[in-house]
Amino acid sequence: MNNTILNCYVVDDSSIQRLAIVKMIENHPNLKLIGEFSNAIETKAAIKDQKVDLIFLDVEMPILTGFDLLDDITEKPGVIFVTGQTKYAFKAFDYAAIDYLQKPIKKDRFLYAVERALLAHKLRTEMIEDRGEFIFVKSNLKKRKVYLKELKYIQALGDYVKLITEDDSLVVLSTMKSFENDLPSEEFLRIHKSYIVNLRKIEKFNSKAVELGSEVLPLSRNRKS
């Protein structure tokens, strides 16, 4: 038996639909409900403080859609879209959806989707153990995977940030504050208003600068300690 437990959110503006999914989750041995929300705004606020493995996500919701929510999440959990419309199915897979369930949900389709989610979680866990943690970022209209151990530093560029890896660079529409909050603090440090650096990549530093190989980044006075 698979002993994996996936922490789940249910996000749907219909209380009846949320209840139906919640009951299925509560009856599944590999799922644990840790939150249910009627809109994407509440979900976005909660997900910053709580690790979630799987979201059962409606697409059509007021103010922010399910797609809007995913666009605003840096480190995305597994997603199973749940909607009454089939027209979003193709777009759902642009967001690496695990599955796409149409309302009303049939039990056998729900169980099949959960099996896919468990397999995806297993593969992701194995990948993390092999290459380390990673994040997805949106650059040039595509989702790109960036492994944290390959990320050297992040540079502010107005309304954008530039991610410098060992082999590449990516420009992302985001804020430094967002990356500062999402990256593990024991590995990444904001050394200047315009720079966040991977501490493992630092080779030398003094009171004014940090050296990463041939690259020299400024160090703020209040970050020196």
Side-chain angles (χ1 to χ4, degrees):
M1 176 177 287
N2 190 334
N3 294 321
T4 302
I5 303 295
L6 301 182
N7 291 326
C8 302
Y9 278 175
V10 177
V11 185
D12 196 312
D13 59 330
S14 166
S15 58
I16 295 176
Q17 294 296 338
R18 286 202 312 276
L19 180 60
I21 301 171
V22 165
K23 287 184 177 180
M24 291 184 181
I25 290 173
E26 291 177 341
N27 289 327
H28 198 289
N30 297 106
L31 303 180
K32 179 182 178 182
L33 180 70
I34 60 172
E36 55 173 300
F37 306 93
S38 61
N39 60 72
I41 297 174
E42 292 177 352
T43 310
K44 182 180 174 182
I47 206 169
K48 292 180 180 179
D49 302 316
Q50 193 173 39
K51 183 181 183 301
V52 59
D53 301 308
L54 180 63
I55 301 180
F56 291 88
L57 181 62
D58 189 15
V59 175
E60 293 183 322
M61 292 182 291
I63 305 178
L64 293 179
T65 68
F67 296 130
D68 292 333
L69 171 64
L70 294 179
D71 285 337
D72 288 340
I73 300 175
T74 302
E75 188 173 353
K76 294 173 177 50
V79 176
I80 295 175
F81 283 105
V82 182
T83 179
Q85 303 287 339
T86 59
K87 62 183 179 181
Y88 300 112
F90 184 77
K91 185 175 180 180
F93 289 97
D94 287 340
Y95 287 80
I98 292 171
D99 209 336
Y100 188 95
L101 300 179
Q102 189 172 2
K103 303 173 184 177
I105 304 171
K106 297 180 180 179
K107 184 178 179 180
D108 59 339
R109 278 293 288 121
F110 175 85
L111 294 176
Y112 175 73
V114 172
E115 285 301 312
R116 295 186 65 177
L118 289 166
L119 177 59
H121 181 79
K122 178 177 181 291
L123 294 175
R124 181 178 184 276
T125 300
E126 291 174 350
M127 184 178 294
I128 289 174
E129 290 174 351
D130 181 37
R131 295 190 62 182
E133 289 280 359
F134 59 85
I135 57 174
F136 278 102
V137 296
K138 191 172 185 178
S139 179
N140 294 328
L141 303 178
K142 294 181 179 180
K143 300 290 183 178
R144 296 283 300 273
K145 181 183 291 183
V146 178
Y147 288 94
L148 299 190
K149 71 177 185 179
E150 297 175 1
L151 179 58
K152 296 171 65 177
Y153 65 90
I154 299 171
Q155 179 183 2
L157 294 174
D159 293 333
Y160 294 81
V161 297
K162 187 176 184 180
L163 280 63
I164 310 297
T165 71
E166 294 177 351
D167 302 311
D168 199 3
S169 63
L170 302 170
V171 176
V172 179
L173 179 60
S174 184
T175 64
M176 293 291 280
K177 189 64 177 178
S178 176
F179 276 97
E180 189 177 12
N181 290 338
D182 292 337
L183 291 171
S185 59
E186 67 275 10
E187 297 179 38
F188 290 85
L189 178 67
R190 189 165 186 174
I191 60 170
H192 185 275
K193 66 179 181 180
S194 297
Y195 293 94
I196 297 173
V197 67
N198 185 338
L199 296 173
R200 299 180 186 275
K201 304 296 184 182
I202 296 176
E203 296 181 6
K204 301 177 184 177
F205 71 93
N206 56 31
S207 61
K208 296 182 179 180
V210 168
E211 295 184 26
L212 294 81
S214 61
E215 298 177 272
V216 180
L217 308 181
L219 174 61
S220 297
R221 182 180 303 174
N222 62 346
R223 294 287 184 172
K224 183 173 64 173
S225 61

